[in-house]
């Protein structure tokens, strides 16, 4: 199994914590975000780990991980960062991709680790519990996710109501070795003059890429989970989580 962590962004919403370090190195509950992920990977015996860095990348210093720098991190997004590591998407091994600003329980990773479908993503069916802790109106920040006959048919759009959200995308993806080269070829063949959900190809959201794949007949498998993870996207997130951790209320959503 090969791991690619996408951690190139500046994390501007986490300033001042990201003033001198990348987002994945911001401390939560006493240690950097990325160390929670590395601990889980270690428990599964995975040592093929690559982190795609960008902003303040020199501050990510772990001797047992590989580093690939997205030199255009200021002007690009997650998919571009992944394709900075496209030489690793060569079909030698299955790949699990994680966002660098999340932490998750071992059981969440076990679900994706054991997935057998070609393209799988974890989906939190009880997402509203976490979103309600983070914001007063969860609908404003959430994205659509529709599942039909056990497969995802829509993802990443602006929802009009809660019925359009059957779960929330988490930023944890598994792609089998057999289709990795095809995925790279698909991205390389995408129209560079076109906007995707209002963004050019370099700023493509991962959900936009997934939707394009769905529209072109790819099967995307949802792995349904219930809580057990946190996204650390802003100073407000961090402060809320630390307060809930101190009172042990965080355990109703995430167990360290």
């Amino acid at each position: 199994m090969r791991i690619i962590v996408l951690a190139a962004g500046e994390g501007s919403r986490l300033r001042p914590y990201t003033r001198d370090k990348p987002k994945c190195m911001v401390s939560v509950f006493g240690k950097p975000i990325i160390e929670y992920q590395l601990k889980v990977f270690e428990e599964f015996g995975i040592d093929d780990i690559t982190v795609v860095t960008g902003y303040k990348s020199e501050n990510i210093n772990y001797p047992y991980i590989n580093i690939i720098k997205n030199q255009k991190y200021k002007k690009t997004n997650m998919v571009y960062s992944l394709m900075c590591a496209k030489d690793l998407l060569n079909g030698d091994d299955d790949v699990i991709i994680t966002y660098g600003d999340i932490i998750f329980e071992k059981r969440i990773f076990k679900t994706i680790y054991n997935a057998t479908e070609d393209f799988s993503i974890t989906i939190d069916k009880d997402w509203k519990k976490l979103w309600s802790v983070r914001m007063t109106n969860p609908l404003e920040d959430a994205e659509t996710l529709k599942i039909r006959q056990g497969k995802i048919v829509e993802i990443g759009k602006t929802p009009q109501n809660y019925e359009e959200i059957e779960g929330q995308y988490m930023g944890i993806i598994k792609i089998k070795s057999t289709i990795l080269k095809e995925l790279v070829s698909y991205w390389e063949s995408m129209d560079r003059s076109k906007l995707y959900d209002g963004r050019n190809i370099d700023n493509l959201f991962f959900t936009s890429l997934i939707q394009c794949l769905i529209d072109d007949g790819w099967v995307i498998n949802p792995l349904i989970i219930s809580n057990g993870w946190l996204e650390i996207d802003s100073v407000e997130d961090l402060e809320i989580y630390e307060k809930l951790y101190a009172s042990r209320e965080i355990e109703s959503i995430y167990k360290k």
Side-chain angles (χ1 to χ4, degrees):
M1 187 69 68
R2 176 170 289 162
I3 301 289
I4 300 177
V5 182
L6 305 180
E10 293 189 58
S12 58
R13 294 179 63 193
L14 269 166
R15 288 200 176 99
Y17 299 103
T18 53
R19 191 166 290 155
D20 61 353
K21 63 174 71 74
K23 197 175 184 181
C24 69
M25 293 299 294
V26 171
S27 180
V28 58
F29 313 145
K31 66 181 182 181
I33 294 168
I34 196 169
E35 290 189 14
Y36 288 92
Q37 294 197 26
L38 295 177
K39 182 176 183 293
V40 172
F41 303 153
E42 181 183 7
E43 289 178 359
F44 279 79
I46 302 172
D47 56 11
D48 187 347
I49 303 167
T50 297
V51 180
V52 181
T53 66
Y55 175 73
K56 301 289 183 182
S57 62
E58 65 277 7
N59 292 317
I60 304 176
N61 294 306
Y62 297 94
Y64 49 90
I65 66 173
N66 306 308
I67 295 292
I68 293 175
K69 187 170 182 179
N70 175 358
Q71 300 290 349
K72 298 181 179 180
Y73 69 88
K74 289 185 178 181
K75 298 180 179 180
T76 58
N77 214 310
M78 291 293 194
V79 176
Y80 187 93
S81 285
L82 175 62
M83 293 303 164
C84 287
K86 66 181 180 180
D87 287 348
L88 300 178
L89 307 178
N90 56 16
D92 285 350
D93 209 343
D94 297 345
V95 171
I96 292 178
I97 302 156
T98 66
Y99 286 12
D101 63 352
I102 59 174
I103 61 177
F104 41 82
E105 296 174 13
K106 183 178 178 180
R107 66 178 174 89
I108 304 300
F109 190 77
K110 184 178 181 180
T111 299
I112 196 91
Y113 182 86
N114 290 331
T116 58
E117 301 285 346
D118 282 347
F119 198 124
S120 299
I121 59 178
T122 53
I123 301 298
D124 186 359
K125 70 180 178 66
D126 292 325
W127 66 276
K128 197 186 295 186
K129 188 173 185 179
L130 175 58
W131 259 245
S132 295
V133 165
R134 300 171 64 200
M135 56 201 71
T136 54
N137 185 0
L139 193 62
E140 287 185 354
D141 183 75
E143 298 175 336
T144 64
L145 192 133
K146 300 176 183 178
I147 300 171
R148 300 291 180 270
Q149 298 181 331
K151 305 302 177 187
I152 297 172
V153 296
E154 182 179 299
I155 189 171
K157 309 301 182 184
T158 301
Q160 301 302 312
N161 53 63
Y162 285 111
E163 286 68 36
E164 294 184 313
I165 310 170
E166 296 180 46
Q168 201 62 207
Y169 171 75
M170 299 163 54
I172 308 175
I173 305 113
K174 181 178 179 181
I175 307 173
K176 298 287 283 183
S177 60
T178 50
I179 66 165
L180 285 169
K181 288 183 179 180
E182 188 177 352
L183 177 66
V184 174
S185 295
Y186 182 94
W187 176 77
E188 290 177 337
S189 68
M190 292 177 74
D191 187 347
R192 265 51 187 166
S193 67
K194 183 179 175 180
L195 294 181
Y196 302 88
D197 293 323
R199 288 174 167 256
N200 64 30
I201 193 73
D202 286 350
N203 279 287
L204 189 67
F205 285 134
F206 219 111
T207 50
S208 299
L209 173 62
I210 292 171
Q211 187 64 62
C212 288
L213 293 170
I214 291 168
D215 293 344
D216 283 332
W218 288 51
V219 176
I220 309 298
N221 181 52
L223 301 171
I224 308 299
I225 61 95
S226 176
N227 299 140
W229 69 293
L230 301 173
E231 177 186 33
I232 301 92
D233 188 51
S234 67
V235 171
E236 291 77 17
D237 283 341
L238 196 58
E239 291 174 347
I240 288 167
Y241 297 154
E242 293 289 358
K243 183 178 179 180
L244 292 176
Y245 182 74
S247 66
R248 301 195 66 174
E249 293 177 77
I250 197 73
E251 293 181 8
S252 67
I253 302 171
Y254 167 82
K255 292 181 174 63
K256 186 177 176 182

